[in-house]
Amino acid sequence: MDAQCSAKVNARKRRKEAPGPNGATEEDGVPFKVQRCAVGLRQPAPFSDEIEVDFSKPYVRVTMEEASRGTPCERPVRVYADGIFDLFHSGHARALMQAKNLFPNTYLIVGVCSDELTHNFKGFTVMNENERYDAVQHCRYVDEVVRNAPWTLTPEFLAEHRIDFVAHDDIPYSSAGSDDVYKHIKEAGMFAPTQRTEGISTSDIITRIVRDYDVYARRNLQRGYTAKELNVSFINEKKYHLQERVDKVKKKVRDVEEKSKEFVQKVEEKSIDLIQKWEEKSREFIGSFLEMFGPEGALKHMLKEGRGRMLQAISPRQSPSSSPARERPPSPSFRWLFSGKTSPPCSPADLSRHKAVAYDIRRSYLEQSKFGSHALLTQVE
């Protein structure tokens, strides 16, 4: 037991003295990383009237200096913290954690006031005294619980539980006709202050519930509680059910709107993509069309070339004006007529054949001349 206690004290000292990551200390604000520990408390904290106390040993209070230096393991510093602890929350747990860590070797005793005292001096509670006792018992920082704790601490109570220091926040607590119920504790040098946790308290939680009463009433009606259990009238019950149905319809409408917005957004994205693709394809098509059928397109050049070739093919070839005209040699029969030489005598059959050839030559020449003049007139027109 002594070895286990000394190990706990040494471990607590190491966590305070050891540097954090990258050599940072606790003052730097960097959270320490501790080793994973599977060992934990398996039983709730015992009640004070269930613990055997050895009254044969004398009770001698330790001073603040002795407690700060550290006491032997068999003599822990007994710190007392009291309260109502209604709707036990993180603010209560943090206050008890501070009380537990006031000194290196601390034994934390927590006193919980009864329903009678609380209702007389502070007001009605949500949880009854047994529920509040049980909630404090299961806090990991608590070593002992005092049931039916007194509202004002007396010397007899402090001596009975061998209390060295009393932990509470430093704000004066006026109650029971006193400006500060811890005034005599502070004067005796037994007060160890802790800090309150801002933003969380029993009164804040109750305020939230009262403020949103309709919401929580509807919530519990939906979970199966009856109107009688919730102290809700018949009219309010029907109103809450109607509001619940209206909220369901509104939720469905919102879901449909969100889905329709998503659908419209998808359609818009697809339409934009299609328009962009269509614009790209249309530009390509218009460019290809202009290249083929435009003012300087390939089709116009093809037509010009084809027309030139057709005109060249159907027009007669004319000799250039600068070139000398070629004289056609006269036909043999013509030479024979005008030459001094006499043609050789020919038979009647040969003569008729020569006449027919000369007639064909004249006819073809006339036809060519007529066709050439007609083509020339066509060009001029």
Side-chain angles (χ1 to χ4, degrees):
M1 183 67 181
D2 295 344
Q4 184 179 2
C5 185
S6 61
K8 288 183 180 180
V9 174
N10 293 332
R12 191 176 293 112
K13 287 183 179 180
R14 284 196 299 270
R15 283 199 295 272
K16 289 186 177 182
E17 296 172 359
N22 300 324
T25 59
E26 189 174 7
E27 288 77 14
D28 296 333
V30 179
F32 291 108
K33 291 184 178 181
V34 298
Q35 295 181 354
R36 187 185 298 276
C37 182
V39 179
L41 299 177
R42 300 187 180 183
Q43 299 292 332
F47 292 112
S48 59
D49 52 6
E50 297 175 350
I51 300 175
E52 294 182 1
V53 180
D54 186 6
F55 290 100
S56 61
K57 295 181 180 180
Y59 164 63
V60 179
R61 271 193 64 246
V62 295
T63 63
M64 183 69 73
E65 294 179 358
E66 293 174 345
S68 299
R69 284 198 305 266
T71 57
C73 184
E74 66 276 4
R75 176 59 175 91
V77 180
R78 296 173 68 85
V79 177
Y80 177 81
D82 59 355
I84 309 303
F85 302 105
D86 191 20
L87 298 176
F88 192 88
H89 50 76
S90 61
H92 295 140
R94 288 176 179 273
L96 297 179
M97 179 184 68
Q98 293 179 57
K100 181 69 174 178
N101 290 281
L102 285 173
F103 307 106
N105 184 17
T106 303
Y107 183 86
L108 182 59
I109 306 167
V110 180
V112 183
C113 299
S114 64
D115 288 344
E116 183 180 0
L117 282 176
T118 305
H119 296 168
N120 288 335
F121 291 107
K122 192 170 184 178
F124 191 75
T125 58
V126 178
M127 302 168 65
N128 59 43
E129 58 184 24
N130 292 324
E131 292 170 340
R132 293 185 284 112
Y133 296 155
D134 189 64
V136 174
Q137 266 190 302
H138 290 82
C139 179
R140 61 182 299 180
Y141 310 111
V142 179
D143 297 307
E144 181 180 336
V145 177
V146 178
R147 290 182 285 196
N148 193 15
W151 198 260
T152 302
L153 301 178
T154 61
E156 293 78 16
F157 179 83
L158 297 175
E160 178 186 356
H161 294 279
R162 302 190 171 192
I163 296 171
D164 295 314
F165 297 97
V166 177
H168 200 272
D169 60 82
D170 202 14
I171 301 173
Y173 193 83
S174 58
S175 179
S178 174
D179 295 336
D180 189 2
V181 295
Y182 298 103
K183 183 178 180 180
H184 63 288
I185 302 295
K186 295 176 182 178
E187 292 174 351
M190 298 177 62
F191 188 80
T194 58
Q195 299 295 325
R196 291 178 63 89
T197 303
E198 298 296 334
I200 182 69
S201 67
T202 303
S203 299
D204 291 339
I205 295 173
I206 295 175
T207 301
R208 297 177 198 173
I209 297 172
V210 173
R211 181 185 59 202
D212 301 326
Y213 170 77
D214 291 345
V215 175
Y216 293 111
R218 287 168 52 189
R219 169 184 177 271
N220 283 5
L221 284 173
Q222 187 180 2
R223 296 195 174 190
Y225 287 89
T226 63
K228 185 177 180 180
E229 290 174 335
L230 297 175
N231 196 23
V232 174
S233 65
F234 177 79
I235 296 176
N236 287 336
E237 180 186 7
K238 299 303 178 185
K239 182 184 72 174
Y240 294 148
H241 285 306
L242 179 61
Q243 289 177 349
E244 189 70 27
R245 293 175 185 175
V246 171
D247 289 345
K248 288 182 179 179
V249 173
K250 288 181 179 179
K251 185 179 179 181
K252 289 182 180 179
V253 171
R254 284 195 299 267
D255 293 341
V256 171
E257 287 179 353
E258 291 177 358
K259 290 180 180 179
S260 61
K261 287 180 182 178
E262 292 177 358
F263 176 75
V264 171
Q265 187 176 1
K266 290 180 181 179
V267 170
E268 287 179 354
E269 292 175 356
K270 289 184 179 180
S271 62
I272 291 171
D273 293 339
L274 290 174
I275 290 172
Q276 291 177 351
K277 291 180 181 178
W278 182 83
E279 287 179 352
E280 294 175 359
K281 295 294 181 182
S282 63
R283 290 192 190 99
E284 295 177 0
F285 176 76
I286 292 171
S288 302
F289 183 84
L290 292 176
E291 289 179 0
M292 178 61 68
F293 301 101
E296 300 296 332
L299 182 62
K300 185 175 181 179
H301 293 292
M302 292 172 60
L303 292 175
K304 284 183 178 180
E305 291 178 0
R307 185 177 179 184
R309 289 178 183 177
M310 290 175 63
L311 292 176
Q312 186 178 1
I314 63 177
S315 299
R317 294 184 179 180
Q318 298 179 359
S319 60
S321 59
S322 62
S323 62
R326 294 182 180 179
E327 295 182 356
R328 296 182 62 185
S331 61
S333 59
F334 184 77
R335 277 202 311 272
W336 293 337
L337 292 174
F338 294 96
S339 61
K341 297 180 180 180
T342 58
S343 60
C346 57
S347 61
D350 293 335
L351 184 59
S352 61
R353 188 167 55 253
H354 285 306
K355 290 180 178 180
V357 170
Y359 177 76
D360 292 337
I361 290 172
R362 278 197 308 272
R363 184 177 180 182
S364 63
Y365 178 76
L366 291 172
E367 288 179 356
Q368 287 182 2
S369 299
K370 186 186 295 185
F371 185 78
S373 61
H374 179 71
L376 182 61
L377 290 171
T378 305
Q379 290 182 353
V380 172
E381 291 174 356

